[in-house]
Every structure is written in structure tokens, then in C-alpha cells.
Amino acid sequence: MSPEELKAFEERQTEMQQTREIFDLICSKLNLKYGEFFGFRDTRGFVVLNIYKDQGDKTRVLKVSEAAEVLIDTHRYCSVYHSQTKRNVLFFSEIRDKPNEYKTTREGVLDENFEILVPAVYDSLRDINEESYLATIDDYHGILNSKFEIIIPLKFREIEYNKTLKIFKAREQIQKGKDDDDLEGSMYWIYDQNGLLLTTLDYGLVNFVHDPYFYTVYDIGVFYSCYIDDKSMIKRQGLLDQNFRTIIPPLYDLISKREKFILVYEKRNAVSGNDYESEEAEASECFYTLDGGKWGVFNHEGSPVIPIEYNWIEHTFKDDLFVISRTGLMYYYQGEQEDGVWCPKDGLYGLINSKNEIIVKPAYKHYHMYENRIIFCNRQSADYQILDIEDALTIYF
């Protein structure tokens, strides 16, 4: 733990202890017990308590000083809760009757004196940064600014904020149509921090899985939620830079980006198979092999620097050196509750630089990467111990 991390940890511990002491005092003076209420300590020197089922099914909400003096006592709200980014507002909810005697809540905003700033008209309302709120009505999302003005209309089924680029990525539909070939919902709207429309992107899926500065685009009709494993083999992947310039066209099945170079994989006519008796398949939740695809390398300007001709390419500890193999195949391994990973199998491995010049001839059956070196060898034990250490080749960085 760094000195900065240690200091931050100690500050959080001190704040938690102070909060506990204040709540202990309030419980003592107001004759409350933990578990009877939901509460939080505001950043401006007071505490809000929600006491449920008070006077029947009502909620009693208290604003209390840190000295346990009751400042406000009301039954007007279903609940009052805190802003995530600790700005000087409070969220509140009110009960709303729906058909068939179904009840739900709608949400709005209060000031510190419990006066309504925004009526409870939203199904949900939460702050996603210091300047913006995500608002929802009937599963349609929009963005409000710090003055609670609508800057992105509530017409989107999904809105994601990228704090690195300070942009909002939105789409109207997140489900395919009835026809499997229907690409409904593939259009994305990109807005800046102030709600200005920057561009639209017509792709099946857009996210930032490879880099927060690069738009990862998938030119297919699949509709994932905000999470996707970057090792997932999805057809026609590509990358756009922050100015929406195409760096990698959406033609590839795997992409692996590093600081200087981007590896791409074309599945082509690769044949898939399984060997359930193999060592790699043991204890795997998902396992299969691919034979026939090829790897290549691009730079960040989008120019190919290594042709798509290798059965395997892997980044090393040095940006312009790559482990390669012209033979063998790949296998996909996913353990229980683990993300999947692609690995090489049955190849002969060597080392090249970013000019596609051979540094180590691909003549070794195994390789191991450590903190500052790669060791190429031909014989190893079942637990990966190198058996021909004297004949092994070590490359230091």
C-alpha cells in the first residue's frame, strides 16, 4: 500500500469511527436501536434518519444535528437518501399508485431544509458525476444538468457515461427485433458533458472494453449489457479513436491493445474442436480449440506493421517484441467463475520485433514469461518446471 493509499485508508477509518460515535449518541438520546431505521451522515454536519412503518405504514424522516437535536420531523416523504457524489442536495421518494393496486415510488430532489427542488416525477434519479444526473421514467433514460434541466431527452433505453472522455453514449433500443436479422437498436448517440450531440455511431455494439480512450465497435446485431469480456470472440470487432476515426476496421474476431501496438485475430475458416481428455480441459467450465485463424499487428495510427500470418502472437514486457508461432492452434479455457482466456497449443515459439524481424527463431515447444525475462525451452514437467534449463534460451528486458 502506497503512502497516499494508506493516508486515504486512515481517513476513511477515522470518518467511519466518527460517524459511528455520532449515531451512537443519536440512538441514545432519541431512544432508537440499530435496525429500526436507515440513516446517513450528511457532509454538511447533520444526519438524516428514515424510520419506516411509523404511525401505520408511513415513514418518519428526521433531520438531526450531530449533537442529536431534532431539526426537522416529517411524514411527507417515503424516504430521503444521499447523493452519491456528496453534493448539497438530497434525493427523496414518494409513493405512487399504479393499476391493480400496485404501488411504487417516484423520486425527486430536496434541499438541505427538505424543501422540494425537483418534484417526484422520475422512476429513478441518481447523480453520475459532479455535473449530471441520470433520470428514468418508464425505463426511458435521460440526463439532467446540475440545475436539473434536461440536456439529453428521456428517450433512451441505455445511457453510459465515460469519465475519461467525458461523454455520454446512448441508444434507443437494446433488444433485437422479432427477426433475427433485424439490427434495430444498433444506432448510438454520443453526447458531450453539456448534452451537445457529437455524432452517431451505427454499430451493433459500442463500448470501451479495450481502452477508455478507444471506442470498441462491433458491426453485428448482438446486444450485450455494459459488460463484455475482452477475450470474447465476437465477429467484426474494430476500434475508433476519441475523434471517431477508424483505427481498426470492424473486421476482426479478437483485439488486444497495448501502449504502442494492437494485436488482431482473424478467425477466417478456423476449425473448432474439443479434446476433453486433454490437460487444458481438466476442471474447465468451457474449453474448445481453434485451428486455422491468423494474427497480425497494427500501430495506433491504424497501419499494419506485421502481416496477418501467425497462428499466435502475444505481447511481451517490451512493447515492440512479440512471442509468435507459425504452427499449432489456440484453445479457450474458462474456469468456474472466471473470465475466459485464449492460449496457444502444440506450436513452435519464437520472438520477433515490430518490424517482423526474427529475434528468436520459432523452434521452441514452450516459453515462460517472468518479470524481466522470457525463457524458451523444449522440455518441461507437468508442473511447468524446465527440464532442459542448460539448453533453454533466456531473453532479458
Side-chain angles (χ1 to χ4, degrees), residues 39-161:
F40 59 89
R41 180 187 177 198
D42 193 88
T43 57
R44 292 157 292 176
F46 61 85
V47 174
V48 174
L49 303 178
N50 294 269
I51 305 172
Y52 298 111
K53 294 189 180 300
D54 184 76
Q55 296 184 8
D57 290 331
K58 290 186 177 181
T59 300
R60 180 186 180 193
V61 182
L62 303 179
K63 175 182 175 181
V64 184
S65 73
E66 293 186 350
E69 177 188 2
V70 176
L71 305 175
I72 298 176
D73 186 344
T74 181
H75 288 88
R76 290 176 60 191
Y77 309 112
C78 179
S79 66
V80 175
Y81 51 101
H82 207 288
S83 159
Q84 291 180 358
T85 52
K86 297 184 178 180
R87 75 182 104 217
N88 294 334
V89 296
L90 302 169
F91 294 146
F92 77 102
S93 64
E94 290 182 347
I95 292 292
R96 177 180 62 149
D97 291 328
K98 297 194 74 172
N100 301 322
E101 299 183 352
Y102 174 68
K103 293 182 182 293
T104 185
T105 59
R106 282 207 164 177
E107 302 178 357
V109 180
L110 304 175
D111 65 15
E112 65 177 282
N113 295 315
F114 286 16
E115 295 300 323
I116 293 176
L117 298 176
V118 177
V121 296
Y122 299 104
D123 290 337
S124 67
L125 185 63
R126 64 180 180 87
D127 49 315
I128 54 177
N129 58 48
E130 292 291 341
E131 300 296 329
S132 308
Y133 298 85
L134 176 65
T136 303
I137 296 179
D138 296 332
D139 293 326
Y140 287 95
H141 307 293
I143 299 296
L144 313 183
N145 63 15
S146 59
K147 297 179 181 179
F148 311 111
E149 301 165 333
I150 296 174
I151 59 173
I152 298 178
L154 278 77
K155 69 174 188 177
F156 297 103
R157 294 295 191 178
E158 175 186 86
I159 295 182
E160 179 186 353
Y161 180 68

Side-chain angles (χ1 to χ4, degrees), residues 217-233:
V217 295
Y218 304 81
D219 196 16
I220 54 175
V222 296
F223 297 90
Y224 287 83
S225 61
C226 56
Y227 172 78
I228 182 172
D229 181 5
D230 64 353
K231 299 297 191 300
S232 296
M233 187 171 289

